[in-house]
């Protein structure tokens, strides 16, 4: 609670969610609506997952009035953060939660893909597991469909279960127009303009397999979405020749 400047206990409890969201390292989280937090149905099963469950819920919902020592309060605060994270994973797959995370995604609040060929595609936080304490949060790029570690150590310490393993897929199912076009562009090692032999051989093999896959997709009558890029690549090859 060092980041929260408060002179009274009432200040401490009245703005807990505001403090949590604005604290450094919690930028990935969105604010959960109070109506969602006070609906016990949404919290089903969390009683066994969180220590001091009722006190933690009281703190998160701004009705905490227990007189306790600093050590006890610190434990309750820790449990409250854990409770908020678990509820957050459920909230962000609701209509309201998806809308809030969408706004953060559009502003690239979660960062941009470090892969050069992805042209600074915005990232989305995700967990590799839905069970707490299994792995930290990762960042998913919808263009290259790969995972990356957060740059900040504060973000890298966040439990991946607080976002869940399904959120990013649900978001793109609800907003399919946000799915970026996939890219076939790959970096090719060259020496004085000539492809490096071993890398070139691997690239050719990968290209052959990709063409075989695309041919099977075309025969199945499924659009690949790569037609325009194929033409551009062919033009580039002709210019290289």
């Amino acid at each position: 609670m060092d980041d929260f400047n408060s002179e009274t206990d009432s200040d401490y409890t009245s703005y807990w969610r505001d403090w949590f969201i604005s604290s450094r390292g919690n930028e990935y989280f969105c604010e959960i609506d109070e109506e969602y937090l006070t609906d016990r149905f949404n919290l089903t099963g969390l009683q066994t997952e969180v220590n001091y469950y009722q006190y933690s819920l009281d703190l998160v919902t701004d009705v905490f009035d227990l007189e306790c020592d600093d050590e006890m309060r610190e434990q309750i605060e820790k449990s409250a953060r854990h409770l908020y994270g678990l509820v957050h994973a459920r909230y962000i797959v609701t209509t309201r939660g998806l809308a809030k995370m969408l706004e953060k995604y559009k502003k690239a609040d979660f960062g941009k893909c470090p892969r050069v060929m992805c042209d600074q595609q915005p990232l989305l936080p995700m967990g590799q597991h839905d069970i707490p304490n299994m792995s930290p949060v990762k960042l998913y790029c919808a263009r290259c469909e790969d995972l990356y570690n957060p740059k900040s150590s504060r973000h890298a310490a966040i439990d991946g279960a607080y976002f869940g393993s399904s959120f990013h897929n649900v978001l793109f199912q609800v907003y399919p127009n946000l799915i970026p076009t996939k890219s076939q562009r790959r970096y090719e090692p060259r020496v004085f303009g000539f492809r490096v032999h071993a890398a070139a051989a691997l690239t050719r093999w990968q290209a052959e397999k990709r063409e075989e896959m695309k041919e099977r997709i075309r025969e199945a009558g499924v659009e690949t979405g790569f037609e325009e890029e194929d033409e551009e690549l062919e033009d580039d090859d002709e210019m290289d020749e």
Side-chain angles (χ1 to χ4, degrees):
M1 295 300 294
D2 294 339
D3 294 332
F4 186 79
N5 297 322
S6 172
E7 296 181 356
T8 66
D9 289 346
S10 60
D11 289 336
Y12 175 86
T13 57
S14 296
Y15 304 98
W16 191 90
R17 274 172 293 162
D18 291 339
W19 163 81
F20 181 83
I21 295 299
S22 61
S23 295
R24 292 180 60 190
N26 291 338
E27 292 83 2
Y28 288 179
F29 293 93
C30 69
E31 184 175 358
I32 303 174
D33 295 331
E34 185 172 357
E35 293 79 5
Y36 190 89
L37 283 167
T38 53
D39 187 339
R40 296 305 175 97
F41 177 78
N42 299 324
L43 311 180
T44 301
L46 296 182
Q47 293 89 339
T48 59
E49 297 287 336
V50 180
N51 296 327
Y52 306 108
Y53 170 79
Q54 190 57 55
Y55 293 145
S56 299
L57 182 58
D58 289 345
L59 180 57
V60 173
T61 54
D62 303 330
V63 295
F64 183 80
D65 60 358
L66 177 69
E67 293 293 337
C68 59
D69 57 28
D70 291 342
E71 183 177 354
M72 179 71 169
R73 173 162 289 188
E74 184 178 348
Q75 291 299 318
I76 294 174
E77 166 62 29
K78 181 178 179 180
S79 296
R81 292 196 297 268
H82 184 49
L83 174 62
Y84 191 93
L86 295 178
V87 178
H88 185 268
R90 300 181 178 187
Y91 177 72
I92 60 177
V93 293
T94 66
T95 301
R96 178 68 173 159
L98 285 170
K100 289 186 177 183
M101 295 297 279
L102 176 60
E103 290 303 312
K104 296 173 72 65
Y105 170 71
K106 288 181 176 179
K107 294 186 294 184
D109 286 352
F110 310 115
K112 298 178 180 179
C113 184
R115 183 175 180 268
V116 175
M117 301 299 183
C118 284
D119 298 323
Q120 295 190 324
Q121 169 68 30
L123 299 170
L124 280 171
M126 62 156 289
Q128 293 177 285
H129 303 89
D130 295 312
I131 302 174
N133 303 315
M134 292 287 289
S135 62
V137 67
K138 302 297 180 183
L139 296 173
Y140 170 76
C141 174
R143 189 178 295 274
C144 64
E145 298 183 331
D146 210 344
L147 303 182
Y148 300 91
N149 291 318
K151 291 183 178 180
S152 170
S153 59
R154 291 176 181 267
H155 296 151
I158 299 174
D159 197 318
Y162 295 165
F163 298 89
S165 60
S166 302
F167 157 66
H168 60 294
N169 291 321
V170 174
L171 182 74
F172 288 122
Q173 286 183 347
V174 176
Y175 303 101
N177 59 304
L178 294 179
I179 300 177
T181 56
K182 302 299 184 289
S183 175
Q184 301 177 74
R185 292 185 299 158
R186 297 173 59 89
Y187 168 70
E188 294 182 351
R190 292 174 181 266
V191 175
F192 300 116
F194 297 97
R195 294 177 180 177
V196 178
H197 177 71
L202 176 60
T203 300
R204 285 196 296 271
W205 179 84
Q206 291 174 329
E208 290 173 2
K209 293 300 180 182
R210 183 169 60 247
E211 291 302 322
E212 292 175 3
M213 178 191 68
K214 288 162 60 177
E215 183 61 31
R216 290 196 299 269
I217 293 176
R218 280 194 290 266
E219 291 176 356
V222 179
E223 293 186 3
T224 64
F226 291 145
E227 287 77 9
E228 295 183 1
E229 191 171 1
D230 286 340
E231 294 178 1
E232 293 178 2
L233 291 173
E234 290 178 359
D235 294 339
D236 291 341
D237 290 340
E238 292 178 358
M239 293 179 62
D240 289 342
E241 293 176 356

